[in-house]
Amino acid sequence: MTATERPPYAGTRYPRLADVEAFRAWIAEGWDAVETAPDLETGAAAAAADHRARLSERMPDATIVAASGIAPVRNDDASYGFRADSGFVWLTNCQAEDAVLVMTPRPGGHDAVLFLPPPFRPGETGFFANAMHGELWVGPSAGLAEWSAALGIDVRPLAEFDAGALTGAHFSDSAARRLGVPASADLERSVSVLRMVKDAWEIAQMRAAVDASVAGFGATVGEIPRAIADGLGERWLQGTFDRHARTHGNGPGYSTIVGSGRHAPTLHWVRCDGPVLEDELLLLDMGVEMRSLYTADVTRTFPASGTFSPAGREAHDLVEKAHRAGLAQIRPGTAYLDFHFAAMEVIATGLHDWGLLPVSVDEALSPRGQHHRRYLACGIGHHLGLDVHDCSQAHYEDYMGADLIPGVVMTVEPGLYFHAHDLTLPPELRGIGVRLEDDVLVTETGSEVLSDALPIDADGVERYTRERMGIS
Ligand code: GLY
Ligand code: MN
Ligand code: MN
């Protein structure tokens, strides 16, 4: 055929494959069986069953509906990456998209049924025609029987789910969004409160997330010289950590923060689009989310040259002192906020000694003052787990107003954020941002800093930085 000739079928309407009889017959046959068991961590099914039992005990009479959710559409049939709803995952350890859990009360507990959209397999039109659930599009996927075997739960096709038959049920936020019904604040609160205490399986996931994150810090700090010398900047370090997180876990547990120099004081510097400057501080706030979806949340601040400036070291020393004061409060029986007050007292005193506060330390620390918070306006800790800010639907009295109990995993993360354009500061402090963030487990007798493989003292941070960067 020459360039000017047209084939006889040119000009006909683009064929819709589902309507083409010969194609349907041809593609329906000739496929081998494929292994599609879900890839679950050992112990995942038992942990989820235990979580359901705990919720059942707290809400014995409630019909409970939770959903994994659907990836938001980006354009046409391209979606943003799917990440299952954390409360749903806590109750099921199933990460299938568009799944719904129904827990129906019975004497002594609840019956649980998981409704799932079955994947379209060879022989079905959806196999080639459905971009969301067709295996030709998304790859071989676990079916209902495989999920049921893996999780030890009754699993039925989503088409059998009837929201209309569930009057009076408590719908989680994600189920409410999916079904267009009001959410149950009571259910969200209950799940948040229950998630505050991690069981042994969850603690193992958290340890793995922290360990993977610590390794990711090593990989990222090792790339600082290249980010500087080749002008690759913050983007390169962000990409380095995110690649590490994707390789060794599911991905970053939140938007990675890489802030060099004047970006370091910006609390959520997730733009990460600046240069990495050799003579400045580099703040890295990064966490790996494991494939179980549990995440770490760790921050260290590094001198990009390998040596702190005098002002940088002074700021780091004060944050370290506040950090240690906060960590010392973490044990069963202390009030959750004790770590906050202990760390803030150190910060306010230090800032006052530097002449930065317009009032006394006591006036600043009073609930009617808070002047020191100009340089530390964020919270300095939170529960951590399936979400970076875990258990966020718990009420004040369950969270900030509660006492610490064994099994809690939380961050402690004081900092100092001296913006480059803050005229209250002497020039040498402008553009300095320091945060130290550790992940801490409350044990029966005290606490364990899960992320203590990374140094928190300035000398240790310098040694670590130089070692990773290969300079002496
Ligand atoms: N990276 C978010 C936080 O530290 O809370
Ligand atoms: Mn945090
Ligand atoms: Mn953080």
Side-chain angles (χ1 to χ4, degrees):
M1 185 168 58
T2 68
T4 53
E5 280 177 299
R6 300 179 78 213
Y9 45 81
T12 59
R13 191 180 171 83
Y14 180 77
R16 193 173 164 271
L17 289 178
D19 297 335
V20 182
E21 229 20 82
F23 173 82
R24 293 171 62 103
W26 170 235
I27 201 168
E29 304 294 337
W31 302 94
D32 204 353
V34 185
E35 171 58 51
T36 54
D39 188 13
L40 293 182
E41 301 286 342
T42 307
D50 181 56
H51 298 164
R52 288 195 297 278
R54 286 168 60 198
L55 180 59
S56 173
E57 205 173 309
R58 186 174 162 113
M59 299 181 73
D61 303 320
T63 299
I64 292 159
V65 185
S68 65
I70 301 183
V73 172
R74 181 167 174 169
N75 158 256
D76 195 27
D77 69 352
S79 295
Y80 290 96
F82 175 68
R83 201 282 196 182
D85 176 77
S86 295
F88 176 85
V89 168
W90 187 77
L91 288 167
T92 61
N93 268 324
C94 168
Q95 295 185 34
E97 191 168 356
D98 203 14
V100 179
L101 171 73
V102 178
M103 292 172 59
T104 311
R106 57 163 166 75
H110 279 74
D111 290 322
V113 180
L114 190 57
F115 293 92
L116 292 174
F120 291 111
R121 292 186 163 158
E124 299 176 277
T125 302
F127 176 64
F128 61 84
N130 185 306
M132 192 166 163
H133 300 297
E135 289 192 341
L136 206 60
W137 291 85
V138 298
S141 308
L144 309 191
E146 291 100 330
W147 275 115
S148 183
L151 292 173
I153 191 172
D154 186 9
V155 180
R156 298 186 199 155
L158 185 61
E160 289 181 15
F161 173 73
D162 181 5
L166 297 171
T167 44
H170 291 253
F171 294 91
S172 72
D173 281 352
S174 62
R177 257 195 314 278
R178 174 73 182 98
L179 302 167
V181 296
S184 161
D186 194 16
L187 174 58
E188 285 298 319
R189 177 186 182 184
S190 293
V191 171
S192 268
V193 169
L194 293 170
R195 280 170 54 189
M196 284 179 169
V197 177
K198 273 67 181 173
D199 56 35
W201 184 82
E202 293 181 290
I203 291 168
Q205 298 305 315
M206 298 296 294
R207 284 186 196 283
V210 170
D211 291 349
S213 302
V214 167
F217 268 79
T220 306
V221 173
E223 291 295 312
I224 292 175
R226 197 168 166 199
I228 296 172
D230 295 352
L232 301 173
E234 296 168 351
R235 291 175 196 268
W236 183 255
L237 300 184
Q238 175 196 32
T240 300
F241 185 81
D242 289 359
R243 175 165 54 88
H244 175 94
R246 180 64 189 155
T247 306
H248 299 289
N250 186 52
Y254 51 92
S255 295
T256 294
I257 296 172
V258 178
S260 167
R262 63 193 294 127
H263 295 157
T266 300
L267 298 170
H268 284 177
W269 183 256
V270 296
R271 282 186 239 164
C272 304
D273 60 358
V276 174
L277 302 168
E278 182 166 19
D279 296 325
E280 304 282 349
L281 293 177
L282 178 70
L283 186 150
L284 301 179
D285 184 343
M286 317 188 293
V288 174
E289 175 185 84
M290 299 308 286
R291 290 170 199 162
S292 60
L293 304 187
Y294 287 82
T295 190
D297 178 14
V298 179
T299 308
R300 290 292 186 273
T301 308
F302 303 92
S305 66
T307 308
F308 282 104
S309 68
R313 179 176 273 262
E314 217 176 352
H316 197 280
D317 285 349
L318 182 55
V319 174
E320 181 199 345
K321 195 172 168 195
H323 192 53
R324 290 187 190 278
L327 290 175
Q329 297 302 317
I330 310 289
R331 59 181 178 278
T334 58
Y336 171 83
L337 280 177
D338 283 356
F339 85 96
H340 166 91
F341 291 121
M344 286 301 181
E345 191 177 324
V346 174
I347 292 286
T349 305
L351 292 172
H352 188 267
D353 290 348
W354 294 350
L356 291 178
L357 296 187
V359 296
S360 69
V361 171
D362 283 349
E363 273 180 88
L365 288 171
S366 124
R368 290 172 308 285
Q370 301 291 298
H371 300 73
H372 56 294
R373 302 286 300 277
R374 179 185 179 108
Y375 311 110
L376 174 44
C378 58
I380 59 166
H382 50 83
H383 282 257
L384 182 68
L386 281 164
D387 290 312
V388 62
H389 291 182
D390 215 36
C391 314
S392 59
Q393 299 305 306
H395 291 195
Y396 188 91
E397 61 266 32
D398 309 319
Y399 194 133
M400 296 235 184
D403 285 348
L404 292 177
I405 45 178
V408 162
V409 179
M410 58 185 288
T411 72
V412 175
E413 48 175 310
L416 282 172
Y417 307 102
F418 296 137
H419 286 277
H421 56 301
D422 186 336
L423 302 177
T424 65
L425 294 166
E428 68 274 13
L429 285 181
R430 293 184 195 173
I432 284 181
V434 176
R435 174 160 65 255
L436 280 170
E437 178 172 27
D438 275 312
D439 301 343
V440 189
L441 167 68
V442 180
T443 62
E444 294 293 334
T445 54
S447 65
E448 181 186 344
V449 180
L450 302 178
S451 44
D452 68 358
L454 293 174
I456 59 171
D457 63 296
D459 286 343
V461 170
E462 282 186 348
R463 264 196 308 278
Y464 177 92
T465 312
R466 292 197 200 125
E467 197 180 293
R468 292 286 157 182
M469 297 200 309
I471 58 175
S472 49

